[in-house]
Amino acid sequence: MLLASLDPSAADIGDAVRIGDVTLSRDNLVGAASAVAERIAGAHRVAVLAAPTVSTVLSVTGCLLAGVPVVPVPADVGRAERRHILADSGAQVWLGDRPDEDEGLAHIPVRLRAHSGHSHPEPPPDAVALVIYTSGTTGPPKGVQLSRRAIAADLDALALAWQWTAGDTLVHGLPLFHVHGLVLGLLGSLRIGNRFVHTGKPTPAAYARACSEAGGTLYFGVPTVWSRVVADPAAAEALRPARLLVSGSAPLPVPVFGELARLTGHSPVERYGSTESLITLSTRADGERRPGWVGLPLAGVQTRLIDDAGDPVPQDGKTIGQLQVRGPTLFDGYLNRPDATAEVFDADGWYRTGDVAVVDRGGMHRIVGRESVDLIKSGGYRVGAGEIETALLGHPDVAEAAVVGLPDEDLGQRIVAFVVGDAEPDSLIDYVAQQLSVHKRPREVRIVDSLPRNAMGKVLKTELLAQG
């Protein structure tokens, strides 16, 4: 059973799910979600406006009970992208909340007080549970089809790696339309049986309050969240009673890792994955947590690094290779896009992540970044942007940094750093040259007020590249 904790024979939990000021007991959740399941049983696909609300929780849970694929739609998405998601997915109705411009789609409301005792047979493991649309950086967003089997395999592997049990209280304030907040946070809790607290917004104060008032033990955050936590020492100190802090969706700056460990007493767990693969790499609750490294393959997952010719690269912790993964957590292809699906899988089932990484002799992985924007080929050298960004963030006058390779007639690509901070550009170039090999120094540093980011805190390097 995918949502194992919702088995009718399970004991009630008075505060199983809390979002903002609304709390649901386990029995209330099952009853209201079962009522939703009755209303949408047999539907092809349904769209859920995935704001952090109880309506979203009941909508998604009801669909999974009924075996109806869910299409989570970001609440803040633009109209053109929303139209594309609805048309491409073939969603038949809005379930729960709906946007002001509903595109003419029928609407089924969700009632918190509704209750049904009807039970639904568990759908087949290979049935599609979610169709999550990617960010669409290289064209219109693609619908990633995630099976119940893949989600269950990933959550079980994470539970093993993080020693995640029903005794935990999981806290986060992340969006419910991405893997991080929806699959790991909500569905993970409904599978494992722990209490789930969504803070609405992921502010340091809200995270601290959840620790003291709700007994938060397991916290999820993106690097932006953790950066704000360490900037609020009182809030960071309040997280000391927690058991585990987890960072993902973007690289955690090494200085933030260090400050988080110092202020909270917890070295954060870092992990790596994507919408298509779910989480495939992680440091462990009982293992080494090395700043800047995302750990070992989860149970059942295989990884390999290859060069441009398809040959394995050395596991020396330095040589950069293209990261490929294989295992039970992989998606079942892009909806309506067999061509795009074929491009990312080889004949042996290896998924081409599009990321580049290094791996050491112990199997620990460090993600360099996207092959398209983070692998810089300059003057005959292959340079990872992440290594330079880490060096820059070690400078006391640098708050944020993003490095890209811009076209250069002489070097092929020249290393350019976009920096938020007060340092002089020339001093930063010299600083990196002292920390790393000289050929890895930026040839240009541009001081900016802010870096463009998406909802999960990832820097939009395509926008930086467009500045030329």
Side-chain angles (χ1 to χ4, degrees), residues 198-269:
H198 194 287
T199 60
K201 293 184 178 180
T203 65
Y207 273 38
R209 192 161 52 248
C211 200
S212 61
E213 296 180 0
T217 61
L218 177 60
Y219 279 77
F220 291 170
V222 297
T224 301
V225 171
W226 297 126
S227 295
R228 291 171 180 169
V229 167
V230 300
D232 186 337
E237 180 73 23
L239 296 182
R240 281 187 173 271
R243 183 181 67 82
L244 203 67
L245 310 182
V246 180
S247 183
S249 296
L252 182 68
V254 171
V256 176
F257 182 108
E259 279 297 279
L260 203 56
R262 183 180 71 84
L263 292 169
T264 69
H266 301 289
S267 294
V269 159

Side-chain angles (χ1 to χ4, degrees), residues 29-53:
L29 172 62
V30 172
S34 295
V36 171
E38 282 194 63
R39 302 188 71 188
I40 51 89
H44 179 55
R45 294 187 194 97
V46 303
V48 173
L49 192 67
T53 64

Side-chain angles (χ1 to χ4, degrees), residues 40-62:
I40 51 89
H44 179 55
R45 294 187 194 97
V46 303
V48 173
L49 192 67
T53 64
V54 170
S55 175
T56 296
V57 171
L58 295 177
S59 296
V60 171
T61 305

Side-chain angles (χ1 to χ4, degrees), residues 162-395:
W162 298 346
Q163 299 178 355
W164 181 2
T165 72
D168 278 307
T169 295
L170 191 156
V171 179
H172 77 72
L174 303 174
L176 294 183
F177 49 82
H178 284 305
V179 165
H180 197 163
L182 177 60
V183 178
L184 274 60
L186 178 61
L187 303 191
S189 298
L190 298 183
R191 180 168 181 79
I192 292 168
N194 56 272
R195 290 172 171 82
F196 173 78
V197 177
H198 194 287
T199 60
K201 293 184 178 180
T203 65
Y207 273 38
R209 192 161 52 248
C211 200
S212 61
E213 296 180 0
T217 61
L218 177 60
Y219 279 77
F220 291 170
V222 297
T224 301
V225 171
W226 297 126
S227 295
R228 291 171 180 169
V229 167
V230 300
D232 186 337
E237 180 73 23
L239 296 182
R240 281 187 173 271
R243 183 181 67 82
L244 203 67
L245 310 182
V246 180
S247 183
S249 296
L252 182 68
V254 171
V256 176
F257 182 108
E259 279 297 279
L260 203 56
R262 183 180 71 84
L263 292 169
T264 69
H266 301 289
S267 294
V269 159
E270 295 188 67
R271 86 303 183 280
Y272 163 84
S274 67
T275 306
E276 290 89 342
S277 69
L278 299 178
I279 307 307
T280 53
L281 299 166
S282 182
T283 51
R284 300 177 59 93
D286 60 355
E288 179 187 6
R289 305 177 205 173
R290 189 188 307 172
W293 295 70
V294 294
L296 307 169
L298 294 180
V301 173
Q302 297 173 279
T303 68
R304 68 180 185 184
L305 297 184
I306 61 172
D307 60 21
D308 292 340
D311 297 321
V313 305
Q315 292 193 5
D316 56 10
K318 297 182 295 184
T319 305
I320 296 172
Q322 301 165 21
L323 176 62
Q324 299 185 354
V325 301
R326 186 168 65 178
T329 69
L330 294 181
F331 75 126
D332 288 341
Y334 297 112
L335 183 65
N336 305 322
R337 292 292 306 275
D339 54 336
T341 303
E343 287 178 4
V344 297
F345 281 104
D346 75 3
D348 296 320
W350 288 98
Y351 169 62
R352 304 178 179 99
T353 66
D355 289 318
V356 286
V358 301
V359 60
D360 69 10
R361 290 179 177 83
M364 185 76 84
H365 291 63
R366 178 172 63 82
I367 305 300
V368 173
R370 297 297 292 172
E371 184 178 7
S372 57
V373 295
D374 292 309
L375 180 60
I376 302 171
K377 299 175 182 179
S378 182
Y381 293 98
R382 293 161 60 92
V383 180
E387 185 178 15
I388 305 168
E389 290 162 357
T390 297
L392 286 166
L393 289 168
H395 192 285

